[in-house]
Every structure is written in C-alpha cells, then in structure tokens.
Amino acid sequence: MAALLTTNLGSTPLLGRGKVRDLYAVDGALLLVATDRISAFDHVLGAGIPDKGKILTQISLFWFDLLKDLVPNHLITAKVGEFPAPLRQYADQLEGRSMLVKRAQMFPVECVARGYLAGSGWKEYKASETVCGIELPSGLEDGSRLPEPVFTPATKSPDGQHDENIAYAVMEKLVGADEAAELRRLTLKIYLRAAEHADKRGLILADTKFEFGKTAEGIILADEVLTPDSSRFWDGKTWKPGGAQPSFDKQFVRDYLEEIHWNKQAPAPGLPEEVVERTRAKYLEAFRRLTGREMEI
Ligand SMILES: Nc1ncnc2c1ncn2[C@@H]1O[C@H](COP(=O)(O)OP(=O)(O)OP(=O)(O)O)[C@@H](O)[C@H]1O
Ligand SMILES: [Mg+2]
C-alpha cells in the first residue's frame, strides 16, 4: 500500500499545494485533490498515510450532502467520469480523492465554531476568561463544554501557518457587517447540525472551521468540511475535561513525534510503519463512525 504524496496532472495548471491538498485550475472551476500527506505541529511529515486523502474527501462529501438543505456548497462533481475529458487519464491519482468545485471569491476569514474549549480557545480563556473577546463563565477547564456554541473567527495567515483569532468587530470591518452576520449565522447553524449528528455516533465535535466564498449565486460553503483535518473530534466515551483531549486521528503521530523529541523544525521526520498503520485505522474509524458505513477503497 503506497501513499500518494504529490499529484502530477501533466499540463493542468497547478495553482498551489497546501499542506495536504493540491489545487488545480480546470476551465472556470477548481480541482481540489486531497493527497495522503499528513501534517503535525504545522509541518508536513516525511511519510504519508495511505488513502487518507480519499477518506477525507469522502467525509467532506458525506457532510456536503447532509448539510445541503442548510447551505449551498461548491461541489460540482467528485466523479472522475464527469470531469473534463483531459483529466480522466489521471483517474488513478484522482479517483475518490478529488472534487471539481465552483471557483468562489473566498472570504478572508476562517469561520470557526466552538462548542468546547480547546487549543487557542483554551489558551485565551486561561488568560482572560474570553474567547475571541467573547466573555465566558468562570471555572471552565481545558476540554469543557461551553454553555452554548460560539463563533470565533480567525484570519488566514498568508504562509498557511498560524491563523490568528480575531474579534467579531474586526471581522465586520473585513467583510462588512451584513456578511459577517450571515457567515456567523451559517457557521453556528451548520455546527449545531453536525454536532448533533456526531453526538448520535458517539463523537464530540469540539470545534470546526469553515471557509465560505461568494459566487454570482450568493454565499456558498467551500473548502473541505468537518474532516478530522479541519475539526476536533473527540471520542464521547473518553472525553474528560481538565487537560488536553487525545486527538481522534493524530494522537499516535503526535505521541511518536514527542517520543523522538523532534524539535518541530524542518525537516519533519517520517513515521514508522506501525504509526502509519494505526493512524490509517483511525481515519477509517472516523469515516465509519461519522457515516455509519464502511469506507470503500
Ligand atoms: N470553491 C473555492 N473557490 C476558491 N478557493 C477555494 C475554494 N475552496 C477552497 N478554496 C481555497 O483553496 C485553498 C485550499 O488550500 P489548502 O487548504 O489545501 O491549503 P492552505 O489553506 O494553503 O494551507 P493548509 O494546508 O494549511 O490548509 C484555500 O486557500 C481555500 O481557501
Ligand atoms: Mg486550508
């Protein structure tokens, strides 16, 4: 079993490679291809997780379908047979892991919803009992459930590294008050629907990040949605506030990197076969638990 680390689609114009996805321009549309790259501590690691890109793409597709009555999304098709003819010769690289999407004018904010305290939210809370300036009750711990989900926007850093949390008022300045309100409304509505679904499957959706864009038809949900890469999922059974919760998908990877005392600077190390295998099993488990069916690979 081999991991696909980089795609090569001949003369198809490459727009860029993110940490995980390769992005191509296809006529007026975009082709998002999720590779098997995996990042940890903000670095792409030297080894990939076979089929991770397929699993994440299928998870996004599952959610786009589940959410389609709440918000339109950018998906045109994920069937390689429906892609423009010149792409079909690359089916072995594209099958299962790519989406042809409408190209949108992206809002320059990451729309984050948090139902629980973790990560940068917990850090800010510890310092000021706020998250993105929103006041929260005293006495919460790392991993605590919030009284109600909050919208905590962030700006995308140009280098793709650290996003910066911003106050809602700052977002209003960036995108305008009306659109900020609409993006907040959509984000919280989608979060609630998704968290409710996850809960039924024994998973906690602690927080998640959406990216919205605009087309001639209005605001659409873009990018990937509600994958382990864009969200914190916790196992409902092991959730215990009072410390960092184990990452559903990347805990074995993080544990290994801590164990070898990697200094978190490039070049990032590879991963032993056992860590790759166990991590792959976690992504498959995420798919199975979220969708209620087995991933077909
Ligand atoms: N429908 C769309 N129209 C236009 N741009 C989109 C659309 N969907 C996603 N994007 C953009 O495509 C890019 C996807 O890149 P990707 O997430 O792989 O890497 P990145 O955001 O640069 O870095 P990182 O790997 O840290 O996420 C993002 O900039 C996202 O905003
Ligand atoms: Mg991204």
Side-chain angles (χ1 to χ4, degrees):
M1 204 174 351
L4 178 70
L5 293 182
T6 321
T7 59
N8 180 345
L9 305 187
S11 59
T12 316
L14 176 72
L15 294 174
R17 298 188 202 273
K19 284 203 275 292
V20 171
R21 286 169 302 160
D22 292 348
L23 216 73
Y24 293 88
V26 174
D27 304 330
L30 280 184
L31 182 69
L32 296 174
V33 192
T35 69
D36 295 332
R37 298 193 288 267
I38 183 168
S39 69
F41 304 116
D42 283 332
H43 290 267
V44 177
L45 303 182
I49 307 295
D51 299 319
K52 170 177 178 276
K54 290 187 182 173
I55 302 167
L56 262 53
T57 299
Q58 299 305 313
I59 289 177
S60 266
L61 289 170
F62 166 79
W63 288 114
F64 277 136
D65 191 53
L66 191 98
L67 300 166
K68 64 179 185 241
D69 61 312
L70 294 184
V71 59
N73 64 63
H74 66 168
L75 181 66
I76 300 170
T77 180
K79 297 194 180 95
V80 178
E82 293 174 2
F83 288 1
L87 288 174
R88 292 182 215 151
Q89 60 183 301
Y90 304 111
D92 56 333
Q93 293 178 68
L94 299 175
E95 206 73 69
R97 61 171 80 244
S98 53
M99 287 188 207
L100 191 67
V101 302
K102 290 178 198 155
R103 194 165 190 166
Q105 188 71 39
M106 299 299 286
F107 290 101
V109 274
E110 314 232 301
C111 292
V112 179
R114 298 170 190 268
Y116 293 74
L117 267 185
S120 65
W122 165 244
K123 246 190 222 161
E124 184 183 325
Y125 177 82
K126 250 192 324 190
S128 59
E129 295 200 345
T130 62
V131 177
C132 282
I134 301 167
E135 287 178 30
L136 294 173
S138 304
L140 299 178
E141 298 178 286
D142 191 359
S144 284
R145 184 174 186 164
L146 299 175
E148 60 182 346
V150 291
F151 176 65
T152 60
T155 47
K156 258 175 103 89
S157 70
D159 59 3
Q161 297 279 302
H162 287 286
D163 302 329
E164 194 193 333
N165 289 339
I166 54 172
Y168 182 70
V170 174
M171 173 169 173
E172 284 185 313
K173 289 215 177 79
L174 284 173
V175 306
D178 289 352
E179 297 208 309
E182 180 59 5
L183 295 177
R184 176 170 65 181
R185 186 185 74 80
L186 286 170
T187 298
L188 290 172
K189 196 166 74 161
I190 302 168
Y191 172 81
L192 282 174
R193 163 84 61 92
E196 194 186 323
H197 175 84
D199 183 60
K200 278 192 240 155
R201 309 278 187 181
L203 293 171
I204 292 172
L205 175 60
D207 54 37
T208 192
K209 182 248 343 178
F210 301 114
E211 292 187 34
F212 295 93
K214 231 177 155 170
T215 64
E217 288 100 71
I219 294 177
I220 59 172
L221 180 58
D223 211 56
E224 62 179 333
V225 284
L226 295 153
T227 68
D229 276 8
S230 69
S231 321
R232 281 191 181 87
F233 288 104
W234 297 334
D235 196 323
K237 278 210 200 80
T238 55
W239 170 58
K240 192 167 162 284
Q245 307 300 302
S247 156
F248 190 86
D249 51 317
K250 286 188 186 165
Q251 200 57 44
F252 297 129
V253 170
R254 291 188 189 156
D255 290 349
Y256 170 74
L257 295 172
E258 298 289 6
E259 204 178 287
I260 62 168
H261 302 291
W262 172 44
N263 61 4
K264 296 170 192 164
Q265 311 283 319
L271 297 170
E273 195 47 46
E274 195 211 337
V275 175
V276 169
E277 242 334 293
R278 293 175 80 185
T279 303
R280 182 172 181 276
K282 288 304 284 186
Y283 282 106
L284 285 170
E285 183 188 341
F287 178 88
R288 188 184 321 118
R289 290 182 64 176
L290 287 171
T291 67
R293 57 187 151 89
E294 285 298 325
M295 171 85 193
E296 286 166 38
I297 294 179

